[in-house]
Amino acid sequence: MKAFIFDLDGVIVDTAKYHYLAWKRLAKEFDFELSELDNERLKGVSRIDSLDIILRLAGKQMDQAKKHELADKKNTWFLEYVNNMTPAEILPGSVNLLEELKTASFTIALASSSKNARTILNKIQLTDYFDVIVDGTMITHSKPHPEIFIKAARLAGVPANECLVFEDAEAGVEAAVHARMRCVGIGNPDRLHKAFIAVSDLSRLNLQKIQSLFQHADTVKS
Ligand code: BG6
Ligand code: MG
């Protein structure tokens, strides 16, 4: 592995809960109760595609102008939560792993569908760890499309098979697999079964564990 590509929301920082709270609040406005299970389908997916999924679940239709108005409203609420966030909301193990990778001079990339990724990274003061940042403003297709990971690898100058992705979203794991990258799932292994392995959070891993895991896999393969 030469490059490590991190998703942001739900992997590095606990912002996935704020996306859920804001979407739930918005869905209530058209009398739809957004469950946690349905919310899993929104993870990793762009703002407007997420709204489309909710509208489909709620059996509602509306024109593009209205959709953009609602998506903006959700984003305003989301940013209110983000604004009150502190580095204490960085998820367990993220800083240790970033620190270890940086010390060992690996390339570190961020691949987040969020248009707010840079704001969030600045807020939690982790921007300087990343050699490459690809966010929602730089892509045309949302995860599960592999565009974001392919772009991150290209900017890092590292071939796909030497990149390792960390993802909490089913759509994100799928995108990594489509990009022909190995992926560590963060969260429930049943949901993230397409990942190479799944762990509850990054504190379960360190560089040595990651290297031995993948060296072993490569030995078995060859
Ligand atoms: C992803 C989140 O990181 O970013 C999704 O997992 C979110 O839930 C997407 O919809 C887009 O985020 P934003 O901040 O541009 O609305
Ligand atoms: Mg995520």
Side-chain angles (χ1 to χ4, degrees), residues 96-156:
N96 280 354
L97 185 58
L98 289 170
E99 193 62 48
E100 236 190 328
L101 295 174
K102 195 95 206 146
T103 307
S105 300
F106 284 104
T107 300
I108 307 178
L110 187 93
S112 166
S113 307
S114 173
K115 293 183 174 163
N116 299 303
R118 283 180 185 271
T119 307
I120 296 168
L121 273 187
N122 287 337
K123 184 86 192 161
I124 54 174
Q125 296 158 25
L126 292 185
T127 312
D128 289 348
Y129 281 105
F130 294 90
D131 304 295
V132 167
I133 294 180
V134 184
D135 67 19
T137 66
M138 299 163 71
I139 48 164
T140 315
H141 308 288
S142 169
K143 297 168 188 175
H145 193 285
E147 179 186 5
I148 196 161
F149 292 124
I150 292 170
K151 194 162 197 162
R154 201 170 51 231
L155 289 173

Tab-separated table of all heavy atoms in Angstrom, residues 96-156:
chain	number	residue	atom	x	y	z
A	96	ASN	N	-4.432	9.060	15.620
A	96	ASN	CA	-3.276	8.157	15.771
A	96	ASN	C	-2.853	7.563	14.444
A	96	ASN	O	-1.672	7.524	14.112
A	96	ASN	CB	-3.618	7.006	16.727
A	96	ASN	CG	-3.517	7.452	18.165
A	96	ASN	OD1	-3.085	8.582	18.432
A	96	ASN	ND2	-3.925	6.589	19.069
A	97	LEU	N	-3.852	7.083	13.679
A	97	LEU	CA	-3.513	6.453	12.396
A	97	LEU	C	-2.951	7.488	11.420
A	97	LEU	O	-1.945	7.238	10.754
A	97	LEU	CB	-4.744	5.741	11.808
A	97	LEU	CG	-4.488	4.953	10.532
A	97	LEU	CD1	-3.398	3.885	10.737
A	97	LEU	CD2	-5.758	4.275	10.025
A	98	LEU	N	-3.575	8.663	11.351
A	98	LEU	CA	-3.064	9.714	10.453
A	98	LEU	C	-1.629	10.071	10.831
A	98	LEU	O	-0.763	10.211	9.970
A	98	LEU	CB	-3.957	10.970	10.529
A	98	LEU	CG	-5.343	10.854	9.895
A	98	LEU	CD1	-6.198	12.056	10.254
A	98	LEU	CD2	-5.238	10.727	8.378
A	99	GLU	N	-1.388	10.173	12.109
A	99	GLU	CA	-0.060	10.530	12.614
A	99	GLU	C	0.969	9.461	12.216
A	99	GLU	O	2.057	9.780	11.731
A	99	GLU	CB	-0.159	10.646	14.141
A	99	GLU	CG	0.996	11.300	14.843
A	99	GLU	CD	1.221	12.753	14.426
A	99	GLU	OE1	0.262	13.549	14.382
A	99	GLU	OE2	2.376	13.061	14.131
A	100	GLU	N	0.582	8.201	12.386
A	100	GLU	CA	1.485	7.098	12.051
A	100	GLU	C	1.803	7.074	10.556
A	100	GLU	O	2.952	6.880	10.154
A	100	GLU	CB	0.780	5.782	12.426
A	100	GLU	CG	1.551	4.935	13.368
A	100	GLU	CD	0.929	3.562	13.515
A	100	GLU	OE1	-0.320	3.448	13.421
A	100	GLU	OE2	1.679	2.613	13.713
A	101	LEU	N	0.762	7.281	9.738
A	101	LEU	CA	0.958	7.260	8.280
A	101	LEU	C	1.830	8.430	7.832
A	101	LEU	O	2.673	8.293	6.953
A	101	LEU	CB	-0.399	7.318	7.555
A	101	LEU	CG	-1.320	6.119	7.771
A	101	LEU	CD1	-2.681	6.371	7.126
A	101	LEU	CD2	-0.700	4.851	7.191
A	102	LYS	N	1.597	9.579	8.442
A	102	LYS	CA	2.372	10.777	8.101
A	102	LYS	C	3.849	10.559	8.465
A	102	LYS	O	4.732	10.832	7.656
A	102	LYS	CB	1.804	11.965	8.892
A	102	LYS	CG	2.236	13.306	8.403
A	102	LYS	CD	1.191	13.861	7.440
A	102	LYS	CE	1.719	14.832	6.447
A	102	LYS	NZ	1.059	14.757	5.158
A	103	THR	N	4.094	10.048	9.657
A	103	THR	CA	5.466	9.809	10.104
A	103	THR	C	6.180	8.832	9.166
A	103	THR	O	7.369	8.978	8.890
A	103	THR	CB	5.449	9.234	11.546
A	103	THR	OG1	4.672	10.121	12.339
A	103	THR	CG2	6.824	9.106	12.144
A	104	ALA	N	5.435	7.857	8.662
A	104	ALA	CA	6.040	6.859	7.773
A	104	ALA	C	6.034	7.341	6.311
A	104	ALA	O	6.357	6.565	5.412
A	104	ALA	CB	5.292	5.542	7.910
A	105	SER	N	5.668	8.604	6.072
A	105	SER	CA	5.696	9.236	4.737
A	105	SER	C	4.797	8.587	3.687
A	105	SER	O	5.119	8.599	2.499
A	105	SER	CB	7.120	9.299	4.185
A	105	SER	OG	7.919	10.041	5.037
A	106	PHE	N	3.686	7.995	4.099
A	106	PHE	CA	2.709	7.503	3.126
A	106	PHE	C	1.890	8.677	2.599
A	106	PHE	O	1.775	9.710	3.277
A	106	PHE	CB	1.758	6.492	3.783
A	106	PHE	CG	2.383	5.151	3.988
A	106	PHE	CD1	2.795	4.758	5.252
A	106	PHE	CD2	2.579	4.287	2.924
A	106	PHE	CE1	3.392	3.514	5.452
A	106	PHE	CE2	3.168	3.051	3.113
A	106	PHE	CZ	3.578	2.668	4.378
A	107	THR	N	1.314	8.500	1.404
A	107	THR	CA	0.424	9.535	0.881
A	107	THR	C	-0.945	9.378	1.544
A	107	THR	O	-1.483	8.269	1.622
A	107	THR	CB	0.283	9.389	-0.651
A	107	THR	OG1	1.585	9.522	-1.207
A	107	THR	CG2	-0.630	10.445	-1.233
A	108	ILE	N	-1.484	10.492	2.015
A	108	ILE	CA	-2.786	10.464	2.689
A	108	ILE	C	-3.760	11.323	1.883
A	108	ILE	O	-3.465	12.486	1.576
A	108	ILE	CB	-2.686	11.002	4.132
A	108	ILE	CG1	-1.591	10.260	4.911
A	108	ILE	CG2	-4.029	10.888	4.841
A	108	ILE	CD1	-1.382	10.771	6.334
A	109	ALA	N	-4.901	10.712	1.526
A	109	ALA	CA	-5.887	11.448	0.720
A	109	ALA	C	-7.246	11.418	1.405
A	109	ALA	O	-7.567	10.501	2.167
A	109	ALA	CB	-5.998	10.821	-0.670
A	110	LEU	N	-8.046	12.442	1.110
A	110	LEU	CA	-9.429	12.468	1.570
A	110	LEU	C	-10.311	12.367	0.337
A	110	LEU	O	-10.057	13.037	-0.667
A	110	LEU	CB	-9.728	13.787	2.298
A	110	LEU	CG	-11.109	13.801	2.941
A	110	LEU	CD1	-10.993	13.322	4.390
A	110	LEU	CD2	-11.736	15.178	2.926
A	111	ALA	N	-11.348	11.515	0.403
A	111	ALA	CA	-12.298	11.418	-0.706
A	111	ALA	C	-13.696	11.463	-0.104
A	111	ALA	O	-14.245	10.441	0.307
A	111	ALA	CB	-12.085	10.134	-1.491
A	112	SER	N	-14.244	12.669	-0.012
A	112	SER	CA	-15.549	12.855	0.631
A	112	SER	C	-16.544	13.452	-0.349
A	112	SER	O	-16.225	14.424	-1.034
A	112	SER	CB	-15.402	13.796	1.827
A	112	SER	OG	-16.664	14.241	2.249
A	113	SER	N	-17.740	12.880	-0.389
A	113	SER	CA	-18.804	13.417	-1.259
A	113	SER	C	-19.312	14.764	-0.782
A	113	SER	O	-20.113	15.404	-1.451
A	113	SER	CB	-20.019	12.476	-1.254
A	113	SER	OG	-19.646	11.184	-1.563
A	114	SER	N	-18.868	15.185	0.404
A	114	SER	CA	-19.424	16.403	0.984
A	114	SER	C	-18.798	17.667	0.405
A	114	SER	O	-17.575	17.773	0.288
A	114	SER	CB	-19.208	16.385	2.501
A	114	SER	OG	-19.604	17.631	3.036
A	115	LYS	N	-19.680	18.618	0.092
A	115	LYS	CA	-19.197	19.929	-0.355
A	115	LYS	C	-18.690	20.733	0.844
A	115	LYS	O	-18.091	21.782	0.680
A	115	LYS	CB	-20.337	20.683	-1.062
A	115	LYS	CG	-20.723	20.012	-2.368
A	115	LYS	CD	-21.788	20.762	-3.123
A	115	LYS	CE	-21.988	20.081	-4.476
A	115	LYS	NZ	-23.207	20.423	-5.149
A	116	ASN	N	-18.953	20.236	2.034
A	116	ASN	CA	-18.513	20.913	3.256
A	116	ASN	C	-17.229	20.296	3.826
A	116	ASN	O	-16.826	20.633	4.944
A	116	ASN	CB	-19.602	20.825	4.327
A	116	ASN	CG	-20.889	21.506	3.888
A	116	ASN	OD1	-20.880	22.684	3.561
A	116	ASN	ND2	-21.998	20.765	3.849
A	117	ALA	N	-16.606	19.392	3.079
A	117	ALA	CA	-15.475	18.632	3.637
A	117	ALA	C	-14.354	19.531	4.150
A	117	ALA	O	-13.831	19.316	5.252
A	117	ALA	CB	-14.939	17.648	2.597
A	118	ARG	N	-13.990	20.542	3.361
A	118	ARG	CA	-12.876	21.409	3.786
A	118	ARG	C	-13.247	22.211	5.043
A	118	ARG	O	-12.425	22.389	5.941
A	118	ARG	CB	-12.462	22.349	2.660
A	118	ARG	CG	-11.629	21.640	1.615
A	118	ARG	CD	-11.221	22.562	0.484
A	118	ARG	NE	-10.523	21.818	-0.544
A	118	ARG	CZ	-9.210	21.603	-0.565
A	118	ARG	NH1	-8.459	22.106	0.376
A	118	ARG	NH2	-8.653	20.894	-1.528
A	119	THR	N	-14.498	22.665	5.101
A	119	THR	CA	-14.962	23.406	6.289
A	119	THR	C	-14.838	22.521	7.523
A	119	THR	O	-14.363	22.961	8.582
A	119	THR	CB	-16.457	23.805	6.101
A	119	THR	OG1	-16.578	24.476	4.870
A	119	THR	CG2	-16.991	24.634	7.236
A	120	ILE	N	-15.270	21.259	7.379
A	120	ILE	CA	-15.251	20.337	8.526
A	120	ILE	C	-13.803	20.034	8.946
A	120	ILE	O	-13.463	20.091	10.132
A	120	ILE	CB	-16.028	19.041	8.197
A	120	ILE	CG1	-17.505	19.367	7.967
A	120	ILE	CG2	-15.863	17.996	9.295
A	120	ILE	CD1	-18.328	18.236	7.371
A	121	LEU	N	-12.956	19.740	7.948
A	121	LEU	CA	-11.552	19.442	8.265
A	121	LEU	C	-10.883	20.610	8.977
A	121	LEU	O	-10.115	20.416	9.921
A	121	LEU	CB	-10.766	19.148	6.990
A	121	LEU	CG	-10.754	17.724	6.461
A	121	LEU	CD1	-9.784	17.632	5.287
A	121	LEU	CD2	-10.368	16.704	7.526
A	122	ASN	N	-11.175	21.824	8.511
A	122	ASN	CA	-10.589	23.008	9.166
A	122	ASN	C	-11.094	23.132	10.593
A	122	ASN	O	-10.346	23.421	11.518
A	122	ASN	CB	-10.925	24.286	8.385
A	122	ASN	CG	-10.133	24.360	7.093
A	122	ASN	OD1	-9.084	23.744	6.957
A	122	ASN	ND2	-10.635	25.115	6.125
A	123	LYS	N	-12.392	22.888	10.741
A	123	LYS	CA	-13.018	23.009	12.057
A	123	LYS	C	-12.364	22.081	13.080
A	123	LYS	O	-12.178	22.436	14.237
A	123	LYS	CB	-14.514	22.677	11.894
A	123	LYS	CG	-15.344	22.829	13.089
A	123	LYS	CD	-15.843	24.242	13.265
A	123	LYS	CE	-16.425	24.422	14.638
A	123	LYS	NZ	-16.523	25.796	15.052
A	124	ILE	N	-12.029	20.853	12.627
A	124	ILE	CA	-11.428	19.895	13.570
A	124	ILE	C	-9.896	19.898	13.483
A	124	ILE	O	-9.222	19.037	14.059
A	124	ILE	CB	-11.991	18.464	13.372
A	124	ILE	CG1	-11.830	18.019	11.915
A	124	ILE	CG2	-13.447	18.389	13.825
A	124	ILE	CD1	-12.222	16.584	11.652
A	125	GLN	N	-9.388	20.832	12.700
A	125	GLN	CA	-7.938	21.068	12.600
A	125	GLN	C	-7.138	19.855	12.125
A	125	GLN	O	-6.083	19.541	12.663
A	125	GLN	CB	-7.402	21.563	13.948
A	125	GLN	CG	-7.989	22.910	14.342
A	125	GLN	CD	-7.917	23.176	15.830
A	125	GLN	OE1	-7.072	22.640	16.524
A	125	GLN	NE2	-8.816	24.007	16.326
A	126	LEU	N	-7.671	19.166	11.105
A	126	LEU	CA	-6.940	18.008	10.574
A	126	LEU	C	-6.489	18.214	9.127
A	126	LEU	O	-5.895	17.304	8.533
A	126	LEU	CB	-7.812	16.739	10.659
A	126	LEU	CG	-8.133	16.209	12.052
A	126	LEU	CD1	-8.892	14.892	11.965
A	126	LEU	CD2	-6.872	16.014	12.890
A	127	THR	N	-6.758	19.377	8.554
A	127	THR	CA	-6.474	19.620	7.131
A	127	THR	C	-5.024	19.289	6.762
A	127	THR	O	-4.775	18.696	5.713
A	127	THR	CB	-6.774	21.096	6.777
A	127	THR	OG1	-8.053	21.414	7.303
A	127	THR	CG2	-6.768	21.329	5.280
A	128	ASP	N	-4.096	19.645	7.626
A	128	ASP	CA	-2.673	19.521	7.276
A	128	ASP	C	-2.184	18.078	7.090
A	128	ASP	O	-1.114	17.853	6.547
A	128	ASP	CB	-1.799	20.211	8.337
A	128	ASP	CG	-1.955	21.721	8.248
A	128	ASP	OD1	-2.539	22.203	7.248
A	128	ASP	OD2	-1.504	22.417	9.179
A	129	TYR	N	-2.960	17.119	7.554
A	129	TYR	CA	-2.543	15.723	7.360
A	129	TYR	C	-2.676	15.278	5.904
A	129	TYR	O	-2.061	14.301	5.493
A	129	TYR	CB	-3.397	14.772	8.217
A	129	TYR	CG	-2.969	14.732	9.664
A	129	TYR	CD1	-3.715	15.380	10.639
A	129	TYR	CD2	-1.816	14.051	10.049
A	129	TYR	CE1	-3.329	15.345	11.972
A	129	TYR	CE2	-1.428	14.010	11.375
A	129	TYR	CZ	-2.187	14.660	12.333
A	129	TYR	OH	-1.783	14.613	13.641
A	130	PHE	N	-3.528	15.959	5.138
A	130	PHE	CA	-3.890	15.428	3.820
A	130	PHE	C	-3.058	16.011	2.684
A	130	PHE	O	-2.969	17.223	2.521
A	130	PHE	CB	-5.396	15.640	3.572
A	130	PHE	CG	-6.213	14.819	4.523
A	130	PHE	CD1	-6.610	15.329	5.753
A	130	PHE	CD2	-6.503	13.496	4.215
A	130	PHE	CE1	-7.317	14.552	6.657
A	130	PHE	CE2	-7.205	12.708	5.119
A	130	PHE	CZ	-7.616	13.238	6.337
A	131	ASP	N	-2.458	15.088	1.890
A	131	ASP	CA	-1.690	15.503	0.714
A	131	ASP	C	-2.639	15.798	-0.433
A	131	ASP	O	-2.334	16.605	-1.301
A	131	ASP	CB	-0.740	14.365	0.287
A	131	ASP	CG	0.175	13.943	1.430
A	131	ASP	OD1	0.990	14.772	1.845
A	131	ASP	OD2	0.040	12.810	1.924
A	132	VAL	N	-3.757	15.098	-0.455
A	132	VAL	CA	-4.745	15.240	-1.536
A	132	VAL	C	-6.130	15.336	-0.905
A	132	VAL	O	-6.434	14.581	0.016
A	132	VAL	CB	-4.684	13.984	-2.460
A	132	VAL	CG1	-5.875	13.927	-3.395
A	132	VAL	CG2	-3.385	13.943	-3.242
A	133	ILE	N	-6.936	16.272	-1.413
A	133	ILE	CA	-8.330	16.348	-0.941
A	133	ILE	C	-9.247	16.383	-2.166
A	133	ILE	O	-9.108	17.240	-3.032
A	133	ILE	CB	-8.569	17.609	-0.073
A	133	ILE	CG1	-7.757	17.523	1.220
A	133	ILE	CG2	-10.074	17.780	0.236
A	133	ILE	CD1	-7.907	18.727	2.157
A	134	VAL	N	-10.160	15.419	-2.236
A	134	VAL	CA	-11.198	15.459	-3.271
A	134	VAL	C	-12.528	15.536	-2.526
A	134	VAL	O	-12.835	14.679	-1.692
A	134	VAL	CB	-11.168	14.210	-4.193
A	134	VAL	CG1	-12.197	14.361	-5.307
A	134	VAL	CG2	-9.788	14.002	-4.787
A	135	ASP	N	-13.300	16.586	-2.808
A	135	ASP	CA	-14.589	16.737	-2.109
A	135	ASP	C	-15.745	16.794	-3.109
A	135	ASP	O	-15.542	16.663	-4.318
A	135	ASP	CB	-14.557	17.971	-1.181
A	135	ASP	CG	-14.466	19.280	-1.949
A	135	ASP	OD1	-14.772	19.302	-3.156
A	135	ASP	OD2	-14.107	20.300	-1.328
A	136	GLY	N	-16.933	16.998	-2.574
A	136	GLY	CA	-18.152	16.981	-3.395
A	136	GLY	C	-18.209	18.057	-4.466
A	136	GLY	O	-19.028	17.961	-5.393
A	137	THR	N	-17.360	19.084	-4.359
A	137	THR	CA	-17.371	20.138	-5.389
A	137	THR	C	-16.529	19.725	-6.605
A	137	THR	O	-16.526	20.405	-7.610
A	137	THR	CB	-16.775	21.472	-4.844
A	137	THR	OG1	-15.369	21.270	-4.557
A	137	THR	CG2	-17.490	21.947	-3.599
A	138	MET	N	-15.812	18.596	-6.487
A	138	MET	CA	-14.854	18.236	-7.541
A	138	MET	C	-15.286	17.020	-8.357
A	138	MET	O	-14.524	16.532	-9.180
A	138	MET	CB	-13.485	17.948	-6.902
A	138	MET	CG	-12.907	19.154	-6.178
A	138	MET	SD	-11.586	18.693	-5.045
A	138	MET	CE	-10.268	18.264	-6.176
A	139	ILE	N	-16.489	16.527	-8.090
A	139	ILE	CA	-16.925	15.310	-8.788
A	139	ILE	C	-18.282	15.503	-9.457
A	139	ILE	O	-19.075	16.342	-9.038
A	139	ILE	CB	-17.011	14.087	-7.829
A	139	ILE	CG1	-17.785	14.459	-6.539
A	139	ILE	CG2	-15.639	13.553	-7.494
A	139	ILE	CD1	-18.242	13.284	-5.728
A	140	THR	N	-18.522	14.686	-10.487
A	140	THR	CA	-19.803	14.737	-11.196
A	140	THR	C	-20.725	13.640	-10.676
A	140	THR	O	-21.931	13.823	-10.590
A	140	THR	CB	-19.560	14.500	-12.714
A	140	THR	OG1	-18.443	15.292	-13.097
A	140	THR	CG2	-20.771	14.881	-13.542
A	141	HIS	N	-20.131	12.480	-10.378
A	141	HIS	CA	-20.949	11.333	-9.958
A	141	HIS	C	-20.690	11.023	-8.491
A	141	HIS	O	-19.546	10.952	-8.060
A	141	HIS	CB	-20.618	10.101	-10.792
A	141	HIS	CG	-20.677	10.348	-12.257
A	141	HIS	ND1	-21.868	10.523	-12.930
A	141	HIS	CD2	-19.689	10.490	-13.175
A	141	HIS	CE1	-21.613	10.742	-14.202
A	141	HIS	NE2	-20.305	10.743	-14.382
A	142	SER	N	-21.784	10.800	-7.780
A	142	SER	CA	-21.683	10.515	-6.351
A	142	SER	C	-21.353	9.026	-6.146
A	142	SER	O	-21.630	8.196	-7.002
A	142	SER	CB	-23.052	10.910	-5.809
A	142	SER	OG	-23.275	10.518	-4.536
A	143	LYS	N	-20.744	8.667	-4.987
A	143	LYS	CA	-20.592	7.254	-4.632
A	143	LYS	C	-21.979	6.619	-4.754
A	143	LYS	O	-22.949	7.303	-4.439
A	143	LYS	CB	-20.078	7.112	-3.193
A	143	LYS	CG	-18.685	7.719	-2.964
A	143	LYS	CD	-18.371	7.805	-1.472
A	143	LYS	CE	-17.092	8.578	-1.222
A	143	LYS	NZ	-16.789	8.811	0.204
A	144	PRO	N	-22.172	5.436	-5.228
A	144	PRO	CA	-21.222	4.328	-5.440
A	144	PRO	C	-20.405	4.407	-6.736
A	144	PRO	O	-19.659	3.484	-7.039
A	144	PRO	CB	-22.129	3.088	-5.460
A	144	PRO	CG	-23.442	3.581	-5.955
A	144	PRO	CD	-23.566	4.980	-5.440
A	145	HIS	N	-20.532	5.499	-7.495
A	145	HIS	CA	-19.676	5.643	-8.679
A	145	HIS	C	-18.226	5.790	-8.183
A	145	HIS	O	-17.968	6.475	-7.199
A	145	HIS	CB	-20.122	6.888	-9.467
A	145	HIS	CG	-19.527	6.953	-10.829
A	145	HIS	ND1	-18.211	7.294	-11.041
A	145	HIS	CD2	-20.052	6.724	-12.064
A	145	HIS	CE1	-17.956	7.265	-12.340
A	145	HIS	NE2	-19.052	6.927	-12.981
A	146	PRO	N	-17.270	5.166	-8.888
A	146	PRO	CA	-15.881	5.199	-8.388
A	146	PRO	C	-15.115	6.494	-8.659
A	146	PRO	O	-13.960	6.626	-8.227
A	146	PRO	CB	-15.214	4.035	-9.145
A	146	PRO	CG	-16.008	3.873	-10.387
A	146	PRO	CD	-17.421	4.251	-10.044
A	147	GLU	N	-15.740	7.466	-9.358
A	147	GLU	CA	-15.021	8.681	-9.778
A	147	GLU	C	-14.160	9.303	-8.675
A	147	GLU	O	-12.999	9.649	-8.895
A	147	GLU	CB	-16.041	9.727	-10.283
A	147	GLU	CG	-15.368	11.021	-10.716
A	147	GLU	CD	-16.380	12.123	-11.071
A	147	GLU	OE1	-17.603	11.936	-10.899
A	147	GLU	OE2	-15.917	13.186	-11.517
A	148	ILE	N	-14.722	9.451	-7.489
A	148	ILE	CA	-14.013	10.174	-6.420
A	148	ILE	C	-12.702	9.477	-6.018
A	148	ILE	O	-11.685	10.124	-5.786
A	148	ILE	CB	-14.955	10.393	-5.205
A	148	ILE	CG1	-14.376	11.465	-4.290
A	148	ILE	CG2	-15.269	9.108	-4.458
A	148	ILE	CD1	-15.395	12.075	-3.333
A	149	PHE	N	-12.737	8.136	-5.973
A	149	PHE	CA	-11.524	7.407	-5.581
A	149	PHE	C	-10.504	7.389	-6.715
A	149	PHE	O	-9.296	7.481	-6.476
A	149	PHE	CB	-11.883	5.988	-5.121
A	149	PHE	CG	-12.665	5.986	-3.838
A	149	PHE	CD1	-13.901	5.368	-3.747
A	149	PHE	CD2	-12.165	6.629	-2.717
A	149	PHE	CE1	-14.624	5.382	-2.564
A	149	PHE	CE2	-12.880	6.654	-1.523
A	149	PHE	CZ	-14.114	6.033	-1.456
A	150	ILE	N	-11.003	7.277	-7.937
A	150	ILE	CA	-10.100	7.282	-9.096
A	150	ILE	C	-9.377	8.634	-9.160
A	150	ILE	O	-8.172	8.712	-9.369
A	150	ILE	CB	-10.888	6.984	-10.392
A	150	ILE	CG1	-11.385	5.530	-10.357
A	150	ILE	CG2	-10.038	7.236	-11.637
A	150	ILE	CD1	-12.370	5.155	-11.443
A	151	LYS	N	-10.137	9.688	-8.911
A	151	LYS	CA	-9.550	11.033	-8.933
A	151	LYS	C	-8.513	11.206	-7.812
A	151	LYS	O	-7.436	11.762	-8.035
A	151	LYS	CB	-10.681	12.060	-8.782
A	151	LYS	CG	-10.258	13.450	-9.118
A	151	LYS	CD	-11.452	14.330	-9.395
A	151	LYS	CE	-10.985	15.571	-10.133
A	151	LYS	NZ	-12.056	16.266	-10.787
A	152	ALA	N	-8.846	10.729	-6.631
A	152	ALA	CA	-7.914	10.851	-5.495
A	152	ALA	C	-6.616	10.103	-5.799
A	152	ALA	O	-5.516	10.623	-5.557
A	152	ALA	CB	-8.561	10.304	-4.228
A	153	ALA	N	-6.724	8.901	-6.375
A	153	ALA	CA	-5.525	8.116	-6.695
A	153	ALA	C	-4.709	8.820	-7.772
A	153	ALA	O	-3.475	8.864	-7.697
A	153	ALA	CB	-5.934	6.720	-7.162
A	154	ARG	N	-5.402	9.383	-8.766
A	154	ARG	CA	-4.681	10.076	-9.840
A	154	ARG	C	-3.921	11.279	-9.275
A	154	ARG	O	-2.755	11.492	-9.573
A	154	ARG	CB	-5.657	10.497	-10.941
A	154	ARG	CG	-4.921	10.727	-12.256
A	154	ARG	CD	-5.827	10.917	-13.440
A	154	ARG	NE	-6.831	11.917	-13.208
A	154	ARG	CZ	-8.124	11.732	-13.427
A	154	ARG	NH1	-8.568	10.583	-13.871
A	154	ARG	NH2	-8.975	12.698	-13.210
A	155	LEU	N	-4.586	12.051	-8.434
A	155	LEU	CA	-3.918	13.221	-7.842
A	155	LEU	C	-2.750	12.800	-6.944
A	155	LEU	O	-1.754	13.512	-6.825
A	155	LEU	CB	-4.924	14.069	-7.050
A	155	LEU	CG	-5.947	14.830	-7.905
A	155	LEU	CD1	-6.990	15.506	-7.019
A	155	LEU	CD2	-5.266	15.876	-8.785
A	156	ALA	N	-2.890	11.638	-6.326
A	156	ALA	CA	-1.810	11.141	-5.461
A	156	ALA	C	-0.685	10.514	-6.290
A	156	ALA	O	0.414	10.291	-5.778
A	156	ALA	CB	-2.367	10.105	-4.484
